[in-house]
Structure formats: C-alpha cells, structure tokens
Amino acid sequence: MFPIENYHYATSVEDAVQHLAAYEGTKILAGGTDVLVRLHEGKSGYGHLIDINGLDELKTISMDESGTIFIGSRATFTEIITNDIISRNVPMLAQSLLTIGGPQVRNTGTMGGNICNGAVSADSACAALVYEFDLQIQGTEGERRESIHGFHTGPGRTILQQGDLLKSFVIRPENYTDFKASYIKYAMRGAMDIATIGCGAAIKMHGEEVETFKLAFTVAAPTPIRCPTAEKTMKGAVISEESLKRLADAVAADVKPRTSWRASKEFRLHIIRTLAKKVTRQAVDNQGGTC
Amino acid sequence: MQTRNINLTINGKKYELVVDVRQSLLELLRERGYTSVKQGCGVGECGACTVLVDNVAVDSCLYLAVWADNTTIRTAEGECRDGKLSPVQEAYMEAGAVQCGFCTPGLIMATTAFVEENKGKTLSRQEMKKAHAGNLCRCTGYQTIINAAEEALKK
Ligand code: FES
Ligand code: FES
C-alpha cells in the first residue's frame, strides 16, 4: 500500500485545477514513475494527490494546418516515440525519450512529468530547449502559454504555481523545419540509468555554413540549459575540426557542472566538451552535410 | 479508507472489485492468487512484477490498482492455455533461460509484449537486449534469455 493520505480522481482539467489549488502541497499523479517511487520510499510531501489518469484529452498528439505540433502532457514516452508526427518532424525528441529507463517505465511515464518535476537530468529537456517548446498551462485564473526558457528555476523547481496543470507542449514549425538534430546521453549504463550529462543540438545549414545552431545540456548546471556563448561561435562557421574545437572551448563559459557521486566537476566538464563536438557532428550527419 | 469500484479482466476472467486507492496492481493481483507476479524492488527497477495492461508491458508495482479500471490484464499464469505453454514460455524452457525462476514470469511477459509488437521483423541482439532492459535476472547472465527471445520471435 502506498501511504496516500488524500486522493482525488480528477474528472476534468478544471476539476483538477480546483482541487490542486485548494490544498497547499497537493501533487499531481500522472504516470507514477516518480511519484509512486517517492511514496514507496516514504518521502514526505507526496501524501495528497490529484490523479489525472482519467483525463484522456491530455493524451492527444496532433499537428494543425500551420505545422504546429501539440503533445498532451499525459502522452507516455512510448506513445510519443511511436507517433508518426513526432518521428517525421522532431525525430530527436523520440531519440531522446528512447534513452529513458526501460520499456515498462517508458510505457507509463509521461513527458509532462519529466519536465514538470524539474529534474536537472530530464532526458526530454534538451529536445524541449532546442525545439523551443511552449507549455500550455491551465491555472486558477485561466489558460496561459509559457516558454520552456526560464521554466526551470532550480533543481526540482519550476515556475508552476499551486493550482497549475500543464496541458500540452507546443512546438512551432519555425523551430523544427529544416533543422536536423541529435541527442546524446552519457550515462554509466546503456539503459535504466540517469544521465551523467545529456546533450542535444539542432542545426540549420545554409550551404556549407551554419545558419542557426542550438545547443543544450542537462546536468551541466542547476537547471537544463542552452549555451549562448557556444552557439555564437558556430554562426556562419563551416563544420570543421577547428570550428568544433572553438565550440568545445567556448562551451565552458555556459556551463556550471558540479561534483556528485556520479561524476566529478572536472570529469563532467570533459564530457560536456566532448559531447558538444560529438552531438554537433551527429546532427550534421543527420542533415546530410560533410564533417 | 478511500475506495473506487473497478471492472477489469484478468487472464480472461471478469472481475468487479472495490479497491483501496492506495493499493498497487501488484498487490491486487497477488491477493487474488496471481502469484506469478513477483515483487522484487517495488520501484520500477527490476521488472519482476511485469504484467500486460491492454497488451502493454508495465511494472505492476508502480501502477495503481484503480488505473486497471476497464482494462484487460495478462499475467504469466494466463499465458499457458489448456495445459499448453505459450510459444514464449516454450522458448524459455528450450533455451534453458530459467534458473531460480524469480525473474521469469516478469520476463515472460516482457518478451511476450516484445514478440507481439515485432512479429515478422528481423531484429539485432542489441535491439532485443534493449527491449528487455527493464528486467533484471541475477542467475542466468541473460544470454539464454536473449536466445529465448530470438527463438520466440521466429515462432
Ligand atoms: S518489483 Fe516492480 S519493477 Fe521491481
Ligand atoms: S533465473 Fe534467477 S533471477 Fe532470473
């Protein structure tokens, strides 16, 4: 038995929001792969739950005429990975989600949970940052849209307020059209592990030159981050050993890795520099360019 | 105590139950005698509790019993019909993929979901390993398990 003290099975988004706002400290229960683990471990602060598993409208993955992609917050990792809209337009998202846990965890865990629990290591965060996700949120005052930039405010913390429920992720066409992207997760095991460092890049080429370049990391700072300094060095550059070295040198200014039992600060910085180059090459290969 | 009424089918048998909202699907199944479902870690690491919910493999230890409302559950004991083992179970036996057996029911269900999803496809051993990454086995060293999955895919 999980030590659940108070449980409400939400019947609609509005109902969930109302109940969330009513009791301070109430948590949302979606796929359960984090919350139920915490409860099993006896961690405090998870006793009051709003179960959103009855809200099927939060599971939809769709695209409108303009090419904007919507991913419901309750869509499981497997549902996103196997969706055609995703694999055709934002394949790096599927590539990222495939590195999460094992099949059973991916079959129940949701991307809403992965982003909203504020984990510094969230495997979907690099894709969210380079594809510039927007988040459609229902709060007590109504609906609003927030950018992924600034959404994470610290380890385990986000801008979400008591009473906020993430409904869907929104990906605008200008943020994926003509981009090729890639993700690399550096972890100690090939599966069922948490990233030591995660790194994603999206690149748009103009002939031989880089037109737009986006680079993101997880576990490289107190939140998942983009790398403005490193990104600048690639603008207009031709992909070469030299430009990649410049990229790897510049990236140190963007990151703030720390020492944990998983890896030391120095080792993390080494991985960060190595992955910056490697993920860029991979993204370019996806673009069909030379490297 | 908070409860909810649920309807579900377990291995072909229909149930109408009143369940405690704090209960896991693992607990519900074991209480009703489906003891092939094992608790190893209880936190989604080992896969010993794997069952299929509407043909999708999940860790029943991290699955609330109330979520099973209106679903069809399959556990290892239900795979054997009229005294005949399922093709996957047979493959495990032939490959010698069972030692102590604690992990086996969960792995049988993981392989069953894998085989049903990938029927007719040719997959590498690496892909088969990835498909079984959610299940731990402390005895066999995994090679015989992957052999069994390989054979089951051909059946
Ligand atoms: S008991 Fe469920 S995964 Fe280990
Ligand atoms: S056979 Fe003993 S744990 Fe797998």
Side-chain angles (χ1 to χ4, degrees), chain B residues 29-136:
Chain B
L29 290 168
R30 288 190 59 87
E31 266 177 19
R32 287 186 172 64
Y34 298 99
T35 50
S36 77
V37 187
K38 306 293 184 217
Q39 170 154 7
C41 64
V43 290
E45 294 275 357
C46 75
C49 63
T50 303
V51 303
L52 306 194
V53 178
D54 290 336
N55 299 322
V56 175
V58 308
D59 292 324
S60 61
C61 70
L62 287 189
Y63 201 93
L64 287 190
V66 297
W67 295 345
D69 191 21
N70 293 317
T71 65
T72 298
I73 310 289
R74 289 164 65 188
T75 72
E77 47 264 88
E79 293 302 294
C80 160
R81 287 194 194 101
D82 307 322
K84 225 179 138 305
L85 296 179
S86 76
V88 171
Q89 289 171 321
E90 209 149 82
Y92 268 71
M93 204 180 69
E94 281 162 11
V98 181
Q99 286 188 28
C100 81
F102 191 82
C103 69
T104 312
L107 266 160
I108 293 279
M109 298 321 288
T111 307
T112 300
F114 165 74
V115 166
E116 290 176 2
E117 267 161 46
N118 295 290
K119 262 261 140 350
K121 289 192 204 152
T122 328
L123 295 178
S124 67
R125 272 181 88 83
Q126 187 59 26
E127 286 168 303
M128 295 193 197
K129 285 183 192 170
K130 287 250 172 209
H132 291 79
N135 293 75
L136 290 179

Side-chain angles (χ1 to χ4, degrees), chain A residues 1-2 7 51 104 107 190, chain B residues 2 22 27 50 57 67 135:
Chain A
M1 292 270 180
F2 295 104
Y7 172 92
D51 189 346
Q104 291 92 328
N107 286 344
Chain B
Q2 282 176 277
R22 300 169 301 172
E27 290 165 324
T50 303
W67 295 345
N135 293 75

